[in-house]
Amino acid sequence: MQDAVEKLLGILDLERLEDNLFRGVSPDQSWQRVFGGQVVAQALVAAQRTVDPARSCHSLHSYFLRPGDPATPIIYDVERIRDGGSFTTRRVVAIQHGRAIFSLSASFQIMEEGFDHQMPMAEVPGPDEVPHGKDLKERILKDAPPAVQRYWMRPRPIEFRPILFDHYLTENKLDPVQRIWVRCNRSVGDDQPLNAAVLAYLSDMTLLDTSLFAHGLSVFDERVQAASLDHAMWFHRPVDVGEWLLYAQDSPSSSGGRGLTRGSLYQRDGTLVASVAQEGLIRPVRRG
């Protein structure tokens, strides 16, 4: 697990080619396409490196334009849109084979005091009270499809502990709601830009799946063509990704071959640190 974290931190440490030009790589060239969370996180890092460190990202909005090729480096071209008195805006385009595969707009703000409120976190079992590790494998995953078993048991930098696993074990139509405890497998320190980048990386995991609960399907089902279309994120408060966070998700709508999912990331003490929204392609596969 520690090796996986080091690999993640390595891919987030982009190579600077020019003042506004950066190069990133993918951790595993055997993948069919680049993981969306990786591109979001790398693009955020590229934008961060052109901004005054006193300003932190408060929001990002992005579009996945083409599948990324994991065997080819990704070039991140940063456009310095605006440097204002309180806010800084950047636009980033990720390029492979001479074509844009992803675009991101991010806004940064100086730290300041202001009104403060949030929606409360739901009462749920803690991360040590849900199946995980050997218990998850022996009690639940043994009955799951092979693709689900491979996904949940492989080493990764992010640890996930779902509160319910029903959607992988049944084709019943379920409420499109998911609660998952998540954390990086070790702390990345007090570096808030790096914590934000890792949070952006993990925020793309499991999100699209929630929009399929209402249809008795999952992203591992061969009857579904699934892909992220866009990704938006708001950073409300500082975060330590090495500590457990509750990722509360719900999908208010699916239509036209697309599913919308919203997410809220809470610390264990109930502090809301970030909000997420994503629309994804969830198109039924038509044979023949």
Side-chain angles (χ1 to χ4, degrees):
M1 297 296 185
Q2 297 302 316
D3 289 344
V5 175
E6 292 303 322
K7 186 178 291 187
L8 171 60
L9 298 182
I11 69 166
L12 294 181
D13 187 14
L14 302 181
E15 177 187 2
R16 185 187 288 268
L17 302 178
E18 253 291 351
D19 283 351
N20 302 317
L21 211 59
F22 302 84
R23 177 161 52 201
V25 296
S26 300
D28 191 338
Q29 297 185 7
S30 67
W31 291 353
Q32 183 178 5
R33 61 189 180 193
V34 176
F35 167 54
Q38 172 195 320
V39 187
V40 175
Q42 288 181 328
L44 176 58
V45 170
Q48 288 170 339
R49 294 189 176 179
T50 68
V51 175
D52 184 336
R55 302 185 178 211
S56 58
C57 183
H58 69 87
S59 70
L60 63 84
H61 302 262
S62 60
Y63 284 94
F64 299 97
L65 306 175
R66 294 182 176 89
D69 177 2
T72 303
I74 305 173
I75 302 301
Y76 293 92
D77 188 359
V78 182
E79 184 177 359
R80 302 182 186 229
I81 301 295
R82 179 176 183 267
D83 291 281
S86 299
F87 292 88
T88 296
T89 308
R90 295 290 184 262
R91 187 170 78 97
V92 184
V93 177
I95 302 166
Q96 278 188 321
H97 306 297
R99 301 193 299 176
I101 65 167
F102 173 83
S103 68
L104 173 142
S105 293
S107 182
F108 299 77
Q109 182 188 13
I110 59 173
M111 296 296 293
E112 60 181 84
E113 296 296 324
F115 301 112
D116 195 322
H117 84 276
Q118 66 162 76
M119 295 296 290
M121 183 177 80
E123 292 188 12
V124 298
D128 296 324
E129 301 174 69
V130 298
H132 60 279
K134 184 179 179 181
D135 189 37
L136 175 65
K137 182 178 181 180
E138 293 180 351
R139 285 180 48 200
I140 297 174
L141 285 180
K142 64 181 179 62
D143 298 320
V148 175
Q149 294 181 15
R150 289 193 298 271
Y151 177 80
W152 282 99
M153 296 310 297
R154 74 179 184 221
R156 56 165 56 85
I158 308 301
E159 183 176 1
F160 286 84
R161 295 187 182 179
I163 291 174
L164 294 176
F165 229 82
D166 297 2
H167 59 289
Y168 290 130
L169 306 177
T170 178
E171 292 190 355
N172 293 337
K173 296 180 179 181
L174 306 173
D175 290 339
V177 174
Q178 181 163 211
R179 303 286 186 266
I180 303 178
W181 288 105
V182 301
R183 68 175 176 183
C184 184
N185 275 307
R186 74 164 175 80
S187 173
V188 300
D190 296 329
D191 184 335
Q192 276 305 303
L194 182 57
N195 275 277
V198 174
L199 194 67
Y201 174 88
L202 68 84
S203 70
D204 188 41
M205 295 177 173
T206 74
L207 198 60
L208 183 56
D209 215 16
T210 305
S211 65
L212 288 164
F213 284 17
H215 311 283
L217 299 166
S218 84
V219 292
F220 298 102
D221 197 306
E222 294 181 351
R223 293 170 293 178
V224 179
Q225 180 187 1
S228 302
L229 296 174
D230 60 18
H231 196 84
M233 195 164 184
W234 297 264
F235 301 88
H236 307 307
R237 297 169 180 87
V239 63
D240 180 353
V241 293
E243 298 292 334
W244 284 113
L245 301 166
L246 180 68
Y247 201 176
Q249 306 171 11
D250 70 271
S251 177
S253 175
S254 64
S255 64
R258 305 179 314 277
L260 174 66
T261 306
R262 304 174 296 197
S264 300
L265 285 147
Y266 292 91
Q267 294 178 166
R268 290 189 71 170
D269 65 3
T271 301
L272 179 65
V273 296
S275 298
V276 185
Q278 182 181 90
E279 190 174 48
L281 179 72
I282 49 170
R283 176 186 293 154
V285 172
R286 296 175 175 84
R287 305 295 182 185

